[in-house]
Amino acid sequence: MGLAENYNMIKVSISWQLFHKPIKTILSISNILFLLISTPFTNYLIHIHGLIIVNYLDSEKYAYLKHAPINEESSVPIIDLSAPNVVALVGNACQVWGMFHVINHGVSSSLVDDVDSRARQLFSLSTQQKLKTLRAPGGATGYGAARISPFFSKLMWHEGFTIIGSAVEHAKELWPHDYEEFCNVMDIYQKKMKSLAYQILLLILKFLDTTQEKEEKMISTTSIYGSEGALQLNSYPCCPDPNRAIGLAPHTDSLLLTILHQSETNGLQIHRNGVGWLPVPPVSGALVVNIGDLLHIMSNGRFPTVYHRVVPNQNKHRISIAYFYGPPADSIVGPLSKLPFPRYRSLTVKEYISLKSKHLERALSLIKI
Ligand SMILES: C=C1C[C@]23C[C@@]1(O)CC[C@H]2[C@@]12CCC[C@@](C)(C(=O)O1)[C@H]2[C@@H]3C(=O)O
Ligand SMILES: O=C(O)CCC(=O)C(=O)O
Ligand SMILES: [Fe+2]
């Protein structure tokens, strides 16, 4: 099949979308493209012909094929949260990697499996169903492309579903008579994640030896009751030509900490200076923790915020569940007062999120002192 014919097929599928779907709201270009890539019809074409022009990225820029070989010294540490020297282990991992696996984390495997299978159930619904929960323009929750999508010219091999607080409104759209179980599982998981994230944050603050009043105030505002988090269900369908597409484009997470469950399928990679892209294969029973921008700021740059991406898989449909943990939107974040020579100015969480949504990776440099 020639290139021109493939272009025609994409054109055909766009017109198919526009004429056969009653689109009542005005969708942005990225949503239209997302709609296009998510239809079973176009997916079918992608699988048969192995070519979707809009989704291909230039390989020079991202060099997807090149990543460092794994050896013991170059892999993300695995930390047992019940280890007696856990503070030092966590602190060192934050400084050296900005990322670590945790085991003995107290979250039951049956709960993690439940969330994973509910996510699979959601993503296996028809596109028409999923689009009932399409994230509203400017909105935060629901189904759609990653929030960072507008910064990249090519689409990602990814679909997401974001939950902040209760998922009930969207779940009712998807399963009008059977939405409660989905919501219960997501609620229980969010509560567990919140308390695990708080536990890890306390270890980190202990490592940074924060004893002053300001920090204590900050700790209380990020407490399990005060904090606001988000749960992101990620789906990366099988990709016929994984070397020429990206699952989730390179980014750093914005909040304090992210706790990730990545089922059993490879795909996550982190960028290491001087090394390149390094795979982070799933460790059975472990959760991945990574430092986000806000903790990078609080540590005055001592902890790197992790630049990471996801590469698609040819044979396996990959699901991941990310919990983003951060302080309430109105709280002020800045380098901890104990650390000398602040490199960043203090600002509200809301202000930082707004800078990130406008400038992505440049947000941090914009608040440098
Ligand atoms: C709390 C959040 C973090 C996030 C933006 C969000 O409001 C909800 C979705 C999150 C997510 C998931 C995929 C990657 C990411 C960069 C994105 O585009 O949306 C993160 C956002 C983030 O950490 O900035
Ligand atoms: O799917 C993954 O492993 C990572 C997802 C991620 O980076 C995110 O949701 O921010
Ligand atoms: Fe991420």
Side-chain angles (χ1 to χ4, degrees):
M1 170 118 345
L3 203 66
E5 281 161 271
N6 275 288
Y7 267 112
N8 281 340
M9 284 206 167
I10 287 175
K11 255 168 41 199
V12 167
S13 61
I14 289 176
S15 13
W16 177 81
Q17 275 298 332
L18 295 180
F19 290 117
H20 296 268
K21 252 187 199 314
I23 302 174
K24 292 196 184 99
T25 46
I26 300 166
L27 297 169
S28 66
I29 290 292
S30 69
N31 273 345
I32 289 177
L33 289 176
F34 180 69
L35 204 81
L36 157 69
I37 201 172
S38 330
T39 60
F41 180 57
T42 50
N43 278 344
Y44 178 72
L45 288 181
I46 296 158
H47 283 267
I48 296 293
H49 304 296
L51 181 67
I52 175 150
I53 292 119
V54 286
N55 208 39
Y56 280 174
L57 294 159
D58 61 79
S59 47
E60 278 151 43
K61 192 168 167 199
Y62 296 105
Y64 295 121
L65 286 172
K66 293 178 204 140
H67 61 68
I70 312 172
N71 60 43
E72 266 179 23
E73 297 85 52
S74 69
S75 47
V76 170
I78 302 173
I79 297 177
D80 183 341
L81 282 186
S82 64
N85 57 341
V86 66
V87 171
L89 293 174
V90 166
N92 285 327
C94 288
Q95 283 188 156
V96 177
W97 290 89
M99 179 181 265
F100 51 96
H101 296 272
V102 284
I103 53 171
N104 274 324
H105 43 65
V107 184
S108 74
S109 57
S110 64
L111 176 60
V112 177
D113 291 348
D114 270 2
V115 178
D116 192 282
S117 65
R118 293 281 164 186
R120 283 174 202 277
Q121 181 190 8
L122 185 149
F123 290 117
S124 65
L125 293 173
S126 69
T127 305
Q128 203 180 7
Q129 283 284 95
K130 287 182 280 193
L131 287 174
K132 288 184 183 167
T133 63
L134 187 66
R135 196 174 61 233
T141 59
Y143 176 69
R147 292 268 291 258
I148 51 172
S149 302
F151 291 93
F152 298 88
S153 56
K154 308 288 164 61
L155 285 173
M156 302 174 201
W157 209 271
H158 165 267
E159 51 184 341
F161 187 89
T162 311
I163 301 169
I164 298 179
S166 167
V168 70
E169 292 307 319
H170 284 139
K172 271 184 179 166
E173 293 284 341
L174 300 173
W175 306 283
H177 308 293
D178 187 19
Y179 59 89
E180 277 171 351
E181 246 340 275
F182 180 90
C183 297
N184 288 343
V185 170
M186 297 301 155
D187 283 352
I188 296 170
Y189 191 72
Q190 287 191 87
K191 282 197 188 104
K192 279 276 174 197
M193 287 296 113
K194 217 177 210 184
S195 80
L196 177 60
Y198 183 56
Q199 183 192 339
I200 294 169
L201 180 68
L202 289 183
L203 295 173
I204 292 173
L205 292 173
K206 210 166 182 183
F207 177 80
L208 291 171
D209 191 19
T210 59
T211 45
Q212 299 175 22
E213 201 188 315
K214 188 177 151 204
E215 271 76 85
E216 273 158 24
K217 209 167 138 216
M218 139 73 207
I219 295 168
S220 69
T221 51
T222 53
S223 82
I224 41 178
Y225 305 107
S227 88
E228 276 166 22
L231 192 63
Q232 169 81 9
L233 315 180
N234 293 306
S235 158
Y236 308 89
C238 298
C239 177
D241 195 350
N243 295 326
R244 298 183 64 201
I246 189 69
L248 196 54
H251 66 280
T252 61
D253 295 341
S254 306
L255 303 185
L256 290 172
L257 288 175
T258 304
I259 304 182
L260 177 83
H261 159 68
Q262 51 167 340
S263 63
E264 74 292 340
T265 308
N266 290 336
L268 178 62
Q269 299 184 341
I270 56 169
H271 193 267
R272 299 280 289 159
N273 285 341
V275 176
W277 288 104
L278 191 73
V280 184
V283 171
S284 176
L287 295 164
V288 179
V289 178
N290 71 266
I291 301 293
D293 298 348
L294 295 184
L295 205 45
H296 169 78
I297 296 169
M298 273 174 62
S299 71
N300 203 22
R302 192 162 156 187
F303 299 156
T305 177
V306 187
Y307 198 48
H308 56 288
R309 69 182 188 183
V310 178
V311 293
N313 193 290
Q314 188 158 18
N315 307 310
K316 282 184 166 175
H317 177 188
R318 182 172 188 275
I319 293 286
S320 76
I321 319 287
Y323 179 78
F324 302 92
Y325 179 73
D330 290 324
S331 42
I332 294 169
V333 171
L336 297 172
S337 54
K338 177 138 190 154
L339 308 170
F341 311 114
R343 289 171 56 191
Y344 297 103
R345 72 172 172 88
S346 297
L347 75 178
T348 62
V349 172
K350 211 171 14 191
E351 194 189 340
Y352 183 72
I353 300 293
S354 152
L355 278 176
K356 185 91 186 259
S357 68
K358 290 189 194 106
H359 305 282
L360 199 64
E361 306 312 340
R362 282 197 325 114
L364 279 175
S365 61
L366 293 173
I367 57 162
K368 271 207 168 123
I369 294 177

